[in-house]
Amino acid sequence: MTSLRDSRDGTRAASDPPRGRRPRPSTRHAPPAAAPERRIPGRRPGAPRLERRLGNSPLGLVLTAPYTAYVLVVFIIPFGVGVWMAFHDYFFTAPGVSVPHPFVGFDNFTEVLGEEKTQRAFANLGLFMAINIPLTVVLALVLASALNAATHWRGFFRVAYYVPYVTASVATLAVWLFLFNGSGAVNKVLGPWAPDPSWLANKHLVMPLIAVYVTWKQLGFYVLLYLAALQNVPKELHEAALTDGAGRRQAFRAVTLPAVRPVTSLVILLSIITAGQIFTEPFLLTGGGPSGASLTPALLVYQRGIEQGEPDAAAAIGLILVTGVLIIATVARRVMERD
């Protein structure tokens, strides 16, 4: 009896775990624990698949759909067609007539770049940018600073600067024709000092005159941009600079210019884009003359594509213009926004 009991006790003791330790649960055949579902804030559990694809506010896509369709129809598709035309031998035909348009590669680009008229148009555009962009930045910043410091008639001057921007170009160009034609008011005031030939007939003065006109017309918009930026500059910074012994010019350089640098970058970018689109002014003032002195790439695209019936050459000029404007705008932005 004693030996049987001892053997049972020994077997039980061998099977029991040591005191002070708990048996570890066996995980060899246990299924892996499922990862907790990540819940996105603002999304209902079990949201339908359509809402997951469209986001939390599908109404926003519905509201922006008309403008998206407008951009697609008016800009994206015509631009794609223009790129296709630039690389093919394309010409206008009667409706319903189908003719082959073979691929010509870069022949259209080689043809238009080798023409003196195209070279003159892009040179005129470079001269326009060299005058218009610095003049726009300087005048807009100076006038905005003056308006920001003014205490009286501020609202009147804001409206006065902005009126030319919202006025139709046809109306304002009629005023400039009255001022700068051969028997205009400016020549009557200048008398014997008036240029000969006159402003619009002088190949050396016509493009600078157009650049000054565009600067004057667009200035009100840029003045408001700078004025909004200047009003966000804390006055304590200017007061601290003046207290430290800095003059007004030094305070302007150290405080104002860095504060409005993002707006300056925007003004330069918009001025570059506006310069690439110059068409109405030379078309109505001079028609591109005299002797191509006021011809611009946009006006040349119209002449080659519509008047002369060479849409493939016009598309090549337009593609060169778009590429050049993008390159200049990208370089200007990198220069202005670097640390």
Side-chain angles (χ1 to χ4, degrees):
M1 294 294 293
T2 304
S3 60
L4 180 60
R5 184 180 301 175
D6 292 342
S7 61
R8 289 178 180 177
D9 293 342
T11 304
R12 186 180 301 172
S15 61
D16 291 342
R19 294 183 179 180
R21 295 184 182 179
R22 295 182 178 180
R24 296 181 180 180
S26 176
T27 58
R28 179 176 302 177
H29 301 289
E37 182 180 359
R38 185 179 180 183
R39 184 176 180 181
I40 301 177
R43 176 176 294 179
R44 303 189 309 270
R49 183 178 301 178
L50 181 62
E51 183 177 347
R52 294 176 183 177
R53 293 181 177 180
L54 299 182
N56 297 331
S57 301
L59 181 61
L61 295 178
V62 176
L63 296 177
T64 58
Y67 183 74
T68 304
Y70 169 77
V71 172
L72 180 65
V73 174
V74 178
F75 293 100
I76 304 300
I77 295 179
F79 180 76
V81 174
V83 173
W84 183 87
M85 290 167 54
F87 291 94
H88 291 77
D89 183 13
Y90 189 87
F91 52 91
F92 295 122
T93 58
V97 178
S98 179
V99 295
H101 300 291
F103 178 78
V104 295
F106 290 93
D107 290 348
N108 291 327
F109 297 90
T110 305
E111 177 185 353
V112 297
L113 288 176
E115 296 177 353
E116 183 180 358
K117 204 171 185 179
T118 305
Q119 299 172 4
R120 185 64 182 273
F122 280 96
N124 293 338
L125 181 61
L127 176 61
F128 178 90
M129 289 184 175
I131 298 174
N132 172 257
I133 296 176
L135 196 61
T136 298
V137 173
V138 172
L139 289 181
L141 181 56
V142 170
L143 293 177
S145 300
L147 281 178
N148 191 44
T151 56
H152 302 288
W153 301 95
R154 181 183 297 180
F156 169 77
F157 285 111
R158 287 183 184 178
V159 175
Y161 291 144
Y162 198 72
V163 164
Y165 177 75
V166 298
T167 306
S169 297
V170 176
T172 54
L173 284 171
V175 176
W176 279 67
L177 281 172
F178 169 76
L179 292 175
F180 291 98
N181 59 17
S183 58
V186 175
N187 284 350
K188 290 182 179 179
V189 172
L190 293 177
W193 291 282
D196 186 25
S198 186
W199 302 89
L200 298 177
N202 194 317
K203 63 180 181 179
H204 301 292
L205 297 177
V206 61
M207 203 61 196
L209 181 64
I210 293 176
V212 172
Y213 164 79
V214 175
T215 301
W216 166 77
K217 192 178 188 309
Q218 304 286 335
L219 195 61
F221 175 69
Y222 300 127
V223 167
L224 293 184
L225 290 181
Y226 271 120
L227 186 60
L230 289 172
Q231 290 179 350
N232 291 326
V233 179
K235 296 182 179 180
E236 291 80 4
L237 296 178
H238 289 276
E239 295 175 356
L242 296 176
T243 303
D244 291 340
R248 292 188 176 274
R249 293 183 179 179
Q250 294 176 343
F252 182 81
R253 293 177 181 176
V255 177
T256 304
L257 288 182
V260 300
R261 190 170 183 177
V263 177
T264 302
S265 177
L266 177 62
V267 169
I268 293 176
L269 181 63
L270 294 177
S271 299
I272 293 172
I273 297 175
T274 302
Q277 299 173 350
I278 291 299
F279 169 81
T280 306
E281 293 77 7
F283 179 74
L284 295 179
L285 283 175
T286 62
S291 302
S294 61
L295 185 64
T296 60
L299 180 56
L300 183 59
V301 168
Y302 169 77
Q303 292 178 350
R304 295 292 295 269
I306 304 301
E307 295 181 350
Q308 302 177 13
E310 299 178 358
D312 49 359
I317 297 173
L319 189 57
I320 295 172
L321 175 62
V322 171
T323 305
V325 169
L326 288 177
I327 293 174
I328 296 174
T330 303
V331 172
R333 182 180 178 183
R334 294 284 180 87
V335 172
M336 289 301 302
E337 294 185 359
R338 66 183 181 183
D339 294 332

